[in-house]
Amino acid sequence: MSLRKYLTSRVFVVQVILALGIIVALVYLFMHWLTFTTDHGNEISVPDLRKLTEEQVEEKLDELDLDYELLDSVDYRSDFPQFSVVEQDPTPGTKVKVGRKIYIKINTSGYSSVRIPDLVNKTYREAVPTLKALGLDEGSVTYVPNLGKDMVLEMRYKGRNLKAGDRVLKSSKIDLVLGDGKMSFEEEESAADTLAAPIEEIPVDEQ
């Protein structure tokens, strides 16, 4: 039989159809196997773990066949309970596969203390960023007669004077006494001895 006749014969057509059927079946079986081995379509929505303790996190993730890893603790945040989850990755609602590891960060037990920097004779614009960089907040601002306009003359915490090196807790509000720039040199000298209030030691456990 010539090649042309064979290619147009019924036997050849049947063999081609059978070959195509086998290929389609193999492709289908391969895709089905791939879906099974990769757990495709079987995804879990990551729960919100924030404000849960590590024990609660472990219990909740075990129920969902998920795992977790504690990365680190973060500076104390008063809007979260002590030793509770503050941050998580992936975020709540993210779709993940079974067995995926969720990374968490835990809140510390309380504010840490910081040393007060020397802000006296610094300008107000210099003082505020310095306080914020240390995790401290700006409190009230009071102006008194002095040659240096917006110059820091005193630092106070809860009505008591601070000096450089004193310790206070993070997030404490530091009050500033500034010069108003309206006093003459002679007046400033006469008032220098009466400006400062007695300095008291400040326990670091106060806020």
Side-chain angles (χ1 to χ4, degrees):
M1 182 184 292
S2 65
L3 180 61
R4 178 178 294 180
K5 285 185 179 180
Y6 174 71
L7 294 177
T8 57
S9 67
R10 183 184 184 89
V11 174
F12 177 75
V13 172
V14 171
Q15 289 178 336
V16 170
I17 293 173
L18 287 174
L20 290 175
I22 292 172
I23 292 173
V24 170
L26 289 174
V27 170
Y28 172 79
L29 290 174
F30 175 75
M31 295 302 295
H32 197 70
W33 171 82
L34 189 64
T35 298
F36 176 78
T37 56
T38 59
D39 223 6
H40 181 71
N42 187 20
E43 295 182 323
I44 300 171
S45 182
V46 175
D48 190 351
L49 304 176
R50 290 170 297 182
K51 298 189 176 182
L52 298 182
T53 64
E54 190 173 353
E55 291 77 13
Q56 291 172 326
V57 167
E58 184 175 8
E59 182 179 343
K60 191 163 192 174
L61 294 184
D62 279 347
E63 295 174 355
L64 299 173
D65 290 326
L66 296 175
D67 199 1
Y68 79 96
E69 181 175 335
L70 176 60
L71 289 181
D72 199 0
S73 59
V74 299
D75 285 341
Y76 180 69
R77 292 176 53 175
S78 59
D79 50 334
F80 285 83
Q82 294 180 357
F83 304 115
S84 68
V85 176
V86 175
E87 299 176 14
Q88 67 177 89
D89 182 35
T91 55
T94 303
K95 298 292 184 180
V96 297
K97 299 283 181 16
V98 170
R100 172 65 186 272
K101 187 172 289 186
I102 312 300
Y103 298 94
I104 61 174
K105 291 185 178 181
I106 298 291
N107 201 18
T108 54
S109 60
Y111 291 114
S112 57
S113 65
V114 294
R115 290 186 182 277
I116 292 294
D118 188 2
L119 301 179
V120 175
N121 295 327
K122 303 288 186 181
T123 65
Y124 174 75
R125 288 189 177 183
E126 292 173 317
V128 172
T130 301
L131 291 174
K132 291 187 179 298
L134 293 171
L136 299 172
D137 295 328
E138 175 191 357
S140 63
V141 175
T142 305
Y143 285 92
V144 297
N146 190 272
L147 278 175
K149 181 172 175 56
D150 292 329
M151 191 76 69
V152 177
L153 304 177
E154 293 181 3
M155 302 172 290
R156 293 178 178 174
Y157 176 62
K158 293 187 174 181
R160 293 176 288 185
N161 281 26
L162 292 172
K163 63 180 184 296
D166 287 343
R167 283 190 171 275
V168 295
L169 296 177
K170 277 190 176 182
S171 294
S172 296
K173 290 188 176 182
I174 307 303
D175 302 325
L176 299 175
V177 178
L178 307 179
D180 61 7
K182 298 179 181 179
M183 177 181 278
S184 67
F185 182 74
E186 291 78 9
E187 291 173 322
E188 183 180 16
E189 284 188 329
S190 64
D193 295 332
T194 59
L195 176 64
I199 297 175
E200 299 182 33
E201 198 68 31
I202 298 174
V204 297
D205 59 343
E206 292 187 33
Q207 294 192 49

